[in-house]
Amino acid sequence: MIHKFGIAFAGFVLSTATLAQTKWDLPTAYPATNFHTENITQFATDVDKATDGKLKITVHANAALFKAPEIKRAVQGGQAQMGEILLVNYQNEWQMFGADGIPFLADSYDAAWKLYQAQKPVLEKKLGEQGMTLLYAVAWPPQGIFVKKEIASASDLKGVKWRAYSPATARIGELVGAQPVTVQQAELSQAMATGVIESYMSSGSTGYDTKTYEYIKNFYDTQAWLPKNAVLVNKKAFDALDKPTQEALLKAGAEAEKRGWDVSKKKNLEYLDLLKKNGMTIHPPSAQLKSDMKKVGDTMTKEWLEKAGPEGQAVVDAYRKM
Ligand code: PCA
């Protein structure tokens, strides 16, 4: 009798535990060993612990579940409850998404953090209208130029096959007279191996993750801008969670944001060292290259402000006041 009751009781506990468990998917376009992805994986573990396993978030790295440009729509439509996006990928949809992709508008971690604070209210509003919540965002390390041959000025990039990851990086390619082709990071190694591209702008992090040193030997440390990855949550999925779970998610998100910026800063120099160790030369840009790239930045700031209108001007003004 007691025995039977014990079994029935165990069965009851098991079924309520299963019922109470929520499973979410979180696609990202970057490899599992990337620092953003490691940070997200830590976040998922933190949420699991804080909710006693009630909310299980599966991180799908390397664009395995959705390709980079598809992740935002997947979260919006609820095919994924969460997702990580590169904000600047969506500049053509809305210029504000591209504010952190303009060369030399914000070119240090401090400046990038301020720009983020200026951008945040409008980002939250826009994403809110689209049925999503901005959980947190973390900057990539500063962007420099990877290129096969040595360059002394931007004119040395004329005709070079140039990989772009966003509308702005394609525009830079155009302005320097290179031949831009858009390739997301998941396909970058292959594009280099097959000679589709011989130059691109990105971080030491991506240079390392994609083994760029096997194909390209020069990195010009222009520190031109720090684009951000943002982690989004589908609002309906969030609203369906109980209060303690929502709070655990928000808390783990806030911690991930802080940890992410710290790691990005710390790892930036480590990545450049790793590139060196693997045979790459890290060059400071020549005065000419610097001033050429600044000019590109000025043109792009002007173009962006024209397209972004008063809303863009307000973000830039707020940023400059910080
Ligand atoms: N790496 C990403 C975007 C910015 C960065 O540093 C990439 O190259 O695709």
Side-chain angles (χ1 to χ4, degrees):
M1 192 60 197
I2 287 169
H3 182 65
K4 261 191 190 162
F5 175 77
I7 289 172
F9 183 71
F12 170 77
V13 170
L14 190 72
S15 65
T16 48
T18 317
L19 273 178
Q21 190 178 82
T22 305
K23 289 188 173 172
W24 279 12
D25 290 309
L26 195 170
T28 161
Y30 305 100
T33 53
N34 172 265
F35 79 92
H36 287 292
T37 316
E38 286 175 347
N39 193 34
I40 290 175
T41 304
Q42 175 73 54
F43 157 81
T45 305
D46 291 349
V47 171
D48 189 338
K49 273 196 202 134
T51 63
D52 284 325
K54 261 170 120 188
L55 179 56
K56 295 263 180 210
I57 302 172
T58 305
V59 179
H60 302 268
N62 224 10
L65 197 57
F66 293 99
K67 300 228 175 295
E70 297 166 357
I71 293 176
K72 180 165 169 284
R73 183 155 286 280
V75 179
Q76 187 171 1
Q79 289 92 345
Q81 294 77 15
M82 290 187 72
E84 183 194 41
I85 63 163
L86 176 64
L87 287 167
V88 297
N89 262 348
Y90 300 89
Q91 180 176 352
N92 284 345
E93 179 194 321
W94 186 54
Q95 290 299 318
M96 268 4 85
F97 287 133
D100 49 320
I102 303 167
F104 304 109
L105 178 63
D107 55 7
S108 66
Y109 278 98
D110 279 354
W113 176 258
K114 285 178 186 161
L115 180 60
Y116 174 34
Q117 302 317 304
Q119 235 179 332
K120 207 186 216 169
V122 290
L123 286 179
E124 282 173 339
K125 183 162 176 282
K126 181 64 151 198
L127 291 166
E129 286 162 9
Q130 297 182 334
M132 290 176 280
T133 304
L134 171 67
L135 185 63
Y136 73 89
V138 171
W140 286 90
Q143 309 284 292
I145 306 172
F146 293 94
V147 56
K148 277 203 167 174
K149 60 176 187 183
E150 292 195 14
I151 57 169
S153 69
S155 63
D156 290 336
L157 291 166
K158 279 211 175 84
V160 161
K161 288 180 251 172
W162 175 270
R163 174 256 178 171
Y165 63 71
S166 62
T169 48
R171 182 68 183 134
I172 297 172
E174 273 171 24
L175 287 169
V176 300
Q179 294 179 40
V181 36
T182 299
V183 178
Q184 290 307 325
Q185 188 178 317
E187 283 91 41
L188 180 53
S189 298
Q190 205 198 341
M192 289 187 286
T194 53
V196 172
I197 66 122
E198 50 195 358
S199 182
Y200 69 97
M201 286 190 82
S202 188
S203 58
S205 166
T206 291
Y208 183 69
D209 286 346
T210 57
K211 295 193 164 71
T212 291
Y213 46 79
E214 289 184 0
Y215 317 99
I216 290 176
K217 298 296 177 201
N218 301 293
F219 180 71
Y220 291 84
D221 193 10
T222 52
Q223 305 183 12
W225 72 95
L226 295 85
K228 290 186 293 294
N229 277 359
V231 174
L232 312 180
V233 188
N234 175 286
K235 237 178 134 335
K236 270 198 199 129
F238 182 82
D239 291 343
L241 300 172
D242 61 31
K243 254 256 141 6
T245 306
Q246 289 180 345
E247 275 160 19
L249 187 87
L250 295 176
K251 183 168 174 280
E255 286 165 6
E257 177 164 282
K258 179 161 189 332
R259 188 173 58 232
W261 282 77
D262 289 346
V263 171
S264 180
K265 225 180 275 182
K266 189 175 132 272
K267 283 212 161 176
N268 176 31
L269 296 177
E270 285 176 29
Y271 284 126
L272 297 185
D273 271 348
L274 283 166
L275 293 178
K276 254 191 250 173
K277 279 200 186 102
N278 283 282
M280 200 174 261
T281 308
I282 311 298
H283 306 266
S286 70
Q288 185 63 52
L289 180 60
K290 245 192 213 167
S291 87
D292 291 346
M293 295 312 287
K294 281 254 156 48
K295 239 179 246 159
V296 167
D298 291 345
T299 304
M300 288 179 58
T301 305
K302 198 171 149 270
E303 289 176 350
W304 186 81
L305 283 170
E306 275 162 13
K307 281 195 203 146
E311 199 174 27
Q313 190 63 56
V315 167
V316 170
D317 289 347
Y319 158 63
R320 290 202 166 126
K321 263 189 225 132
M322 282 178 186

